[in-house]
Amino acid sequence: MAYLGLARKYRPQNFSDLIGQNVVVKILQSSLQTGKISHAYIFSGPKGVGKTSTARILAKALNCTDPDNKPCNNCPSCIAIKEGKAMSVIEIDAASHTSVENIRDLRENVRYASAEGFYKVYIIDEAHMLSQSAFNAFLKTLEEPPPHVVFVLATTEPRKIPLTVISRCQHLQFRRIPVNLTKERLQFICHEEGINATEEALYDIALNAEGSMRDALTLLDQITSFTENITQEDVRLLIGGTDTQTLYDLMTYVIEGKRSDIILNIEKLNDAGTDFKLLTKDLIFFLRNILIAKITKNYRLCLTESEAHIIEDLSSKTSEEHLILLLKELINSENSIKNSFFPRVIFEITLLKLSLLSHFRNIDEAIKEVKEPVINYEIKKPLPAQSEKPVEVTKKSMPISKIWGESLERLEEQNHILATKIKHAEVKFAKDEIQLIYNGGASVHAESVKEHLSEIKNLLKESGMDVNITVHEKENKQKQNVRQEAIDHPLVRKALQLFEGRIFNIIPKKGGDNNV
């Protein structure tokens, strides 16, 4: 006997064999138990998820002679349908039977009851391929077929089926089979067939099948033809995928801004005959896994253990915002890489452009840095008394606002009234200056504070900070040229530089002057 492929050998024969279609199975089993069988069904869904197999199982269940176990797969009717010899089950390929004449023949034949079994089941595969005139000719028969006839229309494109046809049928939608369920099925088949395959290899097969069990089994069958022990490298050699280490290296160089390493690595990949269109796709999914893992803190989410460690290590080097920017730009460039005559060049430029975001920081951190300039100041620490060495001078870095706050607390203890007057001022920090700005009724404290500037300055010197202190009274005038002032604001300039932004509109804040 000729070799039987795994996709045919392990084709579902019972409802329990159907993977990932629990809703469809429950509806059909309930219909069989209650006897509420529809005269026509539409099975729609992606390729390889079990539409035609489910139609055959339904046909066996309708004609099975075992009242308790439908289908039993042991009675003559079930065996005949399984072997494709049953006269009661007629499978029609709609792609080659698209004309009105074919539908007329079908309408003539449905009038005759089956010579065997209880129901005559018509399975029309790829039903969307029927012509519009054929659908129109089919409507009356589909709406009111003889009681011994059941129609099953299987299609991957239900949107191409006229609404007049859909309204006459019970529509059951099949879903893509999850990766984990596909991998578990592959593990079961490998155990039954004595195939040695690693978990990582089966995961890659399931992932590349994209929800199709038939594609997964066909790929497994293909790999077993040239190796007895299936590894992840064998799978990627066959399908042309990119190994995780290469993806890790590329993303590390991008995140850390190592542009020379990016160019050298792409040169090696090009010499190895890499398909940059496929590499871009793999890189997008790799970035997506990093982002999802970072957000959920679950590094084993749809990943193998070895890949989870790599993902965890890489996610620690960047932020969620950075990953989203990288992923967005890579997705935007994917179409250009796919359609270009120079995919290697476009891919190379894309990664170099992404590497320029290596200094990306959260907007909150950037705002904080602009608002609170960091100064270097000296703190003199005397060495132990027994030592005759000179005083040790060390450099420290601290936000100027923090030093000011600590100094103000000490002033509160020494001169409570002066500290209270200072608290009425608006404080602005510059690199070598602290400005105390009084406005409105608080301006009465300005002259008094000016008289004590030396006391405040000496207090700051004790903290190791030698800066100039000035007192200003804010002018209560309407500001001119608000737009230009906003553009010249250091915080706005920093934000525009970081995010390559532009200003669309400027709206003054409520609350008086100097608020934009």
Side-chain angles (χ1 to χ4, degrees):
M1 181 180 178
Y3 173 73
L4 194 63
L6 295 177
R8 292 180 59 192
K9 184 176 181 179
Y10 288 93
R11 191 166 197 163
Q13 300 298 330
N14 289 294
F15 287 116
S16 59
D17 294 336
L18 291 169
I19 306 297
Q21 311 299 341
N22 296 335
V23 175
V24 173
V25 169
K26 187 174 182 179
I27 291 173
L28 293 178
Q29 286 182 327
S30 298
S31 299
L32 290 168
Q33 291 171 2
T34 58
K36 297 179 180 179
I37 307 299
S38 176
H39 62 277
Y41 293 91
I42 291 179
F43 291 172
S44 68
K47 59 182 176 65
V49 295
K51 299 184 296 296
T52 306
S53 297
T54 304
R56 292 179 181 177
I57 295 171
L58 177 62
K60 286 193 292 185
L62 290 172
N63 292 293
C64 184
T65 57
D66 189 336
D68 300 322
N69 185 23
K70 294 187 177 185
C72 66
N73 287 319
N74 293 319
C75 67
S77 177
C78 287
I79 294 174
I81 295 174
K82 180 180 178 181
E83 294 177 352
K85 301 176 181 178
M87 301 293 293
S88 59
V89 179
I90 301 95
E91 293 194 31
I92 301 173
D93 176 20
S96 56
H97 296 76
T98 61
S99 65
V100 176
E101 287 73 17
N102 299 128
I103 298 300
R104 286 173 180 167
D105 293 340
L106 185 149
R107 289 170 54 187
E108 290 295 323
N109 293 330
V110 296
R111 295 185 300 172
Y112 305 107
S114 174
E116 55 184 27
F118 307 108
Y119 285 90
K120 204 171 186 178
V121 181
Y122 284 86
I123 301 174
I124 304 177
D125 205 7
E126 299 301 328
H128 63 274
M129 299 293 288
L130 291 174
S131 64
Q132 185 63 47
S133 56
F135 273 123
N136 293 335
F138 192 31
L139 286 178
K140 188 62 178 176
T141 303
L142 189 64
E143 184 175 17
E144 296 179 359
H148 60 270
V149 173
V150 172
F151 290 104
V152 179
L153 283 67
T155 177
T156 55
E157 299 185 49
R159 67 183 184 279
K160 291 185 178 181
I161 296 181
L163 293 177
T164 50
V165 173
I166 294 178
S167 65
R168 288 166 166 81
C169 305
Q170 192 173 118
H171 188 186
L172 302 181
Q173 296 180 330
F174 287 66
R175 308 295 181 186
R176 292 185 185 275
I177 303 173
V179 174
N180 286 339
L181 292 180
T182 304
K183 188 182 76 171
E184 290 174 5
R185 180 66 174 173
L186 293 176
Q187 287 176 326
F188 168 77
I189 292 173
C190 286
H191 180 267
E192 293 292 314
E193 294 292 318
I195 299 172
N196 295 321
T198 63
E199 182 183 355
E200 290 81 3
L202 295 181
Y203 175 80
D204 274 4
I205 293 173
L207 189 64
N208 282 275
E210 297 182 344
S212 171
M213 184 63 73
R214 181 175 63 228
D215 288 356
L217 292 177
T218 301
L219 186 56
L220 178 64
D221 213 357
Q222 189 175 356
I223 296 173
T224 56
S225 65
F226 72 90
T227 180
E228 296 179 354
N229 299 306
I230 302 174
T231 63
Q232 192 175 39
E233 289 71 23
D234 295 326
V235 176
R236 287 177 175 169
L237 180 64
L238 181 66
I239 64 178
T242 311
D243 64 277
T244 306
Q245 188 60 45
T246 298
L247 298 175
Y248 172 80
D249 291 340
L250 280 175
M251 287 318 306
T252 300
Y253 301 148
V254 168
I255 290 172
E256 296 180 353
K258 298 180 178 178
R259 285 178 281 280
S260 60
D261 289 330
I262 291 174
I263 295 173
L264 293 174
N265 200 281
I266 291 177
E267 183 67 31
K268 291 179 182 178
L269 292 172
N270 186 62
D271 293 341
T274 300
D275 183 350
F276 288 99
K277 301 173 186 178
L278 183 59
L279 176 57
T280 304
K281 175 185 173 183
D282 292 339
L283 207 55
I284 289 173
F285 280 104
F286 185 70
L287 262 178
R288 178 261 178 195
N289 287 339
I290 299 174
L291 178 61
I292 297 301
K294 191 169 185 66
I295 293 173
T296 61
K297 308 301 180 185
N298 182 3
Y299 296 98
R300 286 302 309 274
L301 192 66
C302 294
L303 295 170
T304 61
E305 186 172 355
S306 59
E307 289 176 331
H309 289 305
I310 289 178
I311 294 292
E312 183 176 5
D313 175 64
L314 198 54
S315 67
S316 64
K317 300 179 179 180
T318 184
S319 63
E320 294 176 15
E321 294 86 355
H322 190 189
L323 287 171
I324 290 174
L325 279 177
L326 296 178
L327 190 56
K328 180 181 177 182
E329 289 297 324
L330 200 58
I331 291 173
N332 290 340
S333 64
E334 190 265 343
N335 195 51
S336 299
I337 296 171
K338 183 171 62 176
N339 297 325
S340 173
F341 288 108
F342 315 102
R344 178 255 178 100
V345 176
I346 304 297
F347 179 79
E348 198 168 44
I349 295 300
T350 300
L351 292 196
L352 291 175
K353 180 182 177 182
L354 294 179
S355 69
L356 297 175
L357 297 171
S358 59
H359 299 297
F360 175 87
R361 284 171 295 172
N362 186 285
I363 181 64
D364 296 331
E365 296 176 2
I367 292 174
K368 184 177 180 181
E369 179 182 332
V370 174
K371 281 187 172 181
E372 296 189 8
V374 176
I375 65 165
N376 293 323
Y377 64 97
E378 296 181 348
I379 296 180
K380 298 181 179 180
K381 295 182 179 179
L383 295 175
Q386 63 271 20
S387 173
E388 297 181 357
K389 294 182 179 180
V391 174
E392 177 187 3
V393 178
T394 59
K395 281 279 184 181
K396 294 288 183 180
S397 293
M398 185 182 296
I400 192 171
S401 59
K402 186 173 181 181
I403 301 172
W404 172 255
E406 293 176 354
S407 300
L408 203 57
E409 289 178 3
R410 291 200 300 274
L411 182 62
E412 181 81 27
E413 299 173 357
Q414 301 174 13
N415 191 334
H416 173 71
I417 296 176
L418 178 59
T420 303
K421 292 178 180 179
I422 292 174
K423 289 180 180 178
H424 282 86
E426 176 187 349
V427 184
K428 285 192 174 182
F429 302 108
K431 185 174 182 181
D432 297 316
E433 183 182 33
I434 296 177
Q435 297 178 354
L436 303 178
I437 303 173
Y438 288 93
N439 185 32
S443 298
V444 298
H445 303 300
E447 291 300 323
S448 177
V449 173
K450 285 180 181 179
E451 296 175 0
H452 294 83
L453 284 180
S454 58
E455 181 181 344
I456 303 170
K457 192 170 182 179
N458 291 334
L459 190 64
L460 290 172
K461 281 185 177 180
E462 294 177 6
S463 300
M465 185 172 65
D466 188 8
V467 295
N468 187 33
I469 301 176
T470 58
V471 178
H472 306 273
E473 291 187 48
K474 185 186 265 186
E475 295 181 0
N476 190 17
K477 296 180 181 179
Q478 187 68 27
K479 287 191 177 292
Q480 302 295 324
N481 198 358
V482 176
R483 179 180 180 85
Q484 188 59 43
E485 183 181 2
I487 294 174
D488 291 339
H489 195 284
L491 177 58
V492 175
R493 289 204 306 269
K494 189 73 172 177
L496 292 174
Q497 180 183 0
L498 276 173
F499 300 101
E500 299 181 2
R502 53 181 176 171
I503 296 175
F504 288 97
N505 192 16
I506 295 177
I507 302 175
K509 286 177 60 177
K510 294 181 180 179
D513 299 337
N514 201 30
N515 289 304
V516 293

